[in-house]
Amino acid sequence: MTGFGKLWAGQTISQFGDRITELALPVIAVVGLSAGPTQVGLLTAAVWTPNLFAVLVGSWVDRRPDRRRLLIAADLLRAAALMSLPVAHWLGAVTLTQLFAVALLAGAGQVLFSSAYPSFFVALVHRDRYVDANSKLSISRSASFVAGPALGGLLIQALTAPIALLADALSFLASALLITRIKTGPAPVSASASPLSGLRYVLRHEYLRAGLGCVTTVNFFGFVAQALLALFATRTLGLPVSLLGLALGFGAFGGLAGAALAPRISRRFGVGRTMLLGAVLFPAPTAAIAVAAGPSWLAAAVLGAAEAVAGFGVMLMDINLNSVMAVAMADEMRSRVAGVYGTINYGARPLGAAVGGLLGDLLGLRPTLLVAAVGGVLGSLWLVRSPLPRVRTMDEVSAVPA
């Protein structure tokens, strides 16, 4: 198996585990601990809060040549944090405080992994294979959304949510083991990697700046909605956890199709236009979820269809944007740029989740979901006003800021 093949396998395994955790954590809070909208929103926010410090982590990583060791450490940290919940469950001591602590530690591990990942990826993949490689990784991610929620729902129903988290913990251990078997040389390092240098680089680069503005806006409003989805589905629509998992799993077929077709669509219509299409298709279906009603089967069908369209859109956006970023970033800047994206883009997610919880209490769940849909679609304007829609191939992307 090639180095990229091992990375792909490790990411595939951990992605399936992540889908279980994304369902299990809010279920523990809502069903097991009777949490309300604000508490659920803050719990979702906690997972992403460490990203506020990603710009500092990226600067630190850019001074470390062994990125593989950092990836392994990130996986082990997340595995240890998740394993604490089954132990607490067996002792009858699960609390909201522990849920928040686990969310923060898992988020910290994700920040470290994301900062070290870009240099590791380009060391394993040739430039002309970036779109194909990102497509493969996204196919695995989409496949996890097909089977992961359904598997998670069944595991939670059969074993309880805390015990189901063992699966995600084991997936991180498997990822760490596979990464230990990948051999790469030292990454380029910078002796004086100032966090502000990464921010200046992104703001001066017309491609990176527009991409960052778009995904930050889309993800902010996406997390306004995501923070309330489990609560809305279980309490307002009356869906049992197993049916919710099946609906999300069915919806993920759209993401699988998007990941598989993204390279072909990009070659036909161009990288930039495909990215713009995805930026609209991703947030818009939240409006359909907001108006869902009727019997459980109908509400689940609407939820599944909306998730399918959104999943198709996010793959078109992510695969092409990640490929443009891989080309646009200078080698010695990769972790700092990833840190800037993490702080601003991922940092907007906990804020969106917190705002979602507060708006859910203030306006109600349905109006908040409609606000999230409209706000997310407006994020595409960042791309419209940039040169990105005119980019057709990777050869047209420059790492030199305009």
Side-chain angles (χ1 to χ4, degrees):
M1 186 183 294
T2 65
F4 174 74
K6 294 171 186 175
L7 176 66
W8 183 17
Q11 288 302 288
T12 299
I13 295 169
S14 64
Q15 286 287 343
F16 274 84
D18 286 348
R19 303 295 80 79
I20 297 172
T21 295
E22 288 169 0
L23 187 60
L25 280 183
V27 166
I28 294 172
V30 173
V31 178
L33 301 173
S34 302
T38 298
Q39 291 170 313
V40 175
L42 291 175
L43 178 62
T44 304
V47 176
W48 298 97
T49 296
N51 284 281
L52 295 172
F53 305 97
V55 65
L56 301 177
V57 176
S59 175
W60 179 78
V61 169
D62 261 339
R63 297 194 294 269
R64 303 294 182 278
D66 192 350
R67 307 294 161 82
R68 184 183 65 164
R69 183 178 299 177
L70 298 178
L71 294 175
I72 295 169
D75 278 340
L76 294 179
L77 172 62
R78 289 180 284 185
L82 291 170
M83 282 183 177
S84 71
L85 278 171
V87 172
H89 174 74
W90 288 324
L91 297 175
V94 177
T95 64
L96 272 175
T97 300
Q98 184 184 6
L99 282 185
F100 280 102
V102 169
L104 287 169
L105 287 173
Q110 180 59 45
V111 169
L112 179 58
F113 193 97
S114 297
S115 296
Y117 174 83
S119 295
F120 200 69
F121 174 82
V122 298
L124 301 176
V125 181
H126 191 270
R127 172 174 171 152
D128 63 3
R129 304 293 298 173
Y130 284 170
V131 172
D132 288 335
N134 278 314
S135 176
K136 289 182 173 66
L137 290 165
S138 295
I139 286 173
S140 295
R141 184 171 184 268
S142 298
S144 76
F145 278 100
V146 172
L151 176 61
L154 293 173
L155 286 176
I156 291 169
Q157 202 83 26
L159 303 175
T160 72
I163 304 302
L165 289 173
L166 270 177
D168 196 13
L170 293 175
S171 76
F172 284 123
L173 293 178
S175 173
L177 179 61
L178 284 165
I179 292 175
T180 61
R181 305 183 58 156
I182 300 175
K183 305 301 181 185
T184 61
V189 298
S190 177
S192 57
S194 166
L196 290 179
S197 63
L199 179 60
R200 286 194 298 267
Y201 184 82
V202 170
L203 294 179
R204 290 171 55 208
H205 201 302
E206 53 192 355
Y207 296 155
L208 297 180
R209 183 177 65 245
L212 177 59
C214 175
V215 296
T216 300
T217 304
V218 170
N219 282 318
F220 172 84
F221 286 103
F223 271 71
V224 169
Q226 183 171 321
L228 303 175
L229 183 59
L231 187 65
F232 178 74
T234 55
R235 291 189 183 174
T236 303
L237 300 181
L239 301 183
V241 174
S242 57
L243 187 55
L244 171 60
L246 288 173
L248 295 176
F250 173 79
F253 279 106
L256 187 59
L261 295 174
R264 184 182 304 175
I265 296 173
S266 299
R267 286 191 292 268
R268 175 67 179 83
F269 298 103
V271 168
R273 290 180 180 178
T274 304
M275 189 190 311
L276 177 59
L277 175 62
V280 174
L281 289 180
F282 177 28
T286 302
I289 297 175
V291 299
S296 294
W297 67 267
L298 179 59
V302 172
L303 177 60
E307 289 290 320
V309 176
F312 186 84
V314 73
M315 289 299 110
L316 298 186
M317 182 180 73
D318 278 357
I319 289 171
N320 288 281
L321 178 60
N322 288 339
S323 300
V324 168
M325 286 179 58
V327 176
M329 286 187 281
D331 284 338
E332 70 277 7
M333 297 290 297
R334 293 188 184 278
S335 293
R336 273 170 286 174
V337 171
V340 170
Y341 263 71
T343 294
I344 298 177
N345 172 30
Y346 291 156
R349 297 182 180 195
L351 180 59
V355 169
L358 294 173
L359 288 179
D361 274 327
L362 182 63
L363 303 178
L365 300 182
R366 292 185 188 275
T368 301
L369 291 174
L370 286 172
V371 169
V374 174
V377 170
L378 292 177
S380 63
L381 295 178
W382 285 93
L383 300 182
V384 172
R385 300 180 61 186
S386 79
L388 277 171
R390 298 190 295 274
V391 173
R392 293 195 59 85
T393 68
M394 291 298 106
D395 291 336
E396 300 174 24
V397 180
S398 171
V400 180

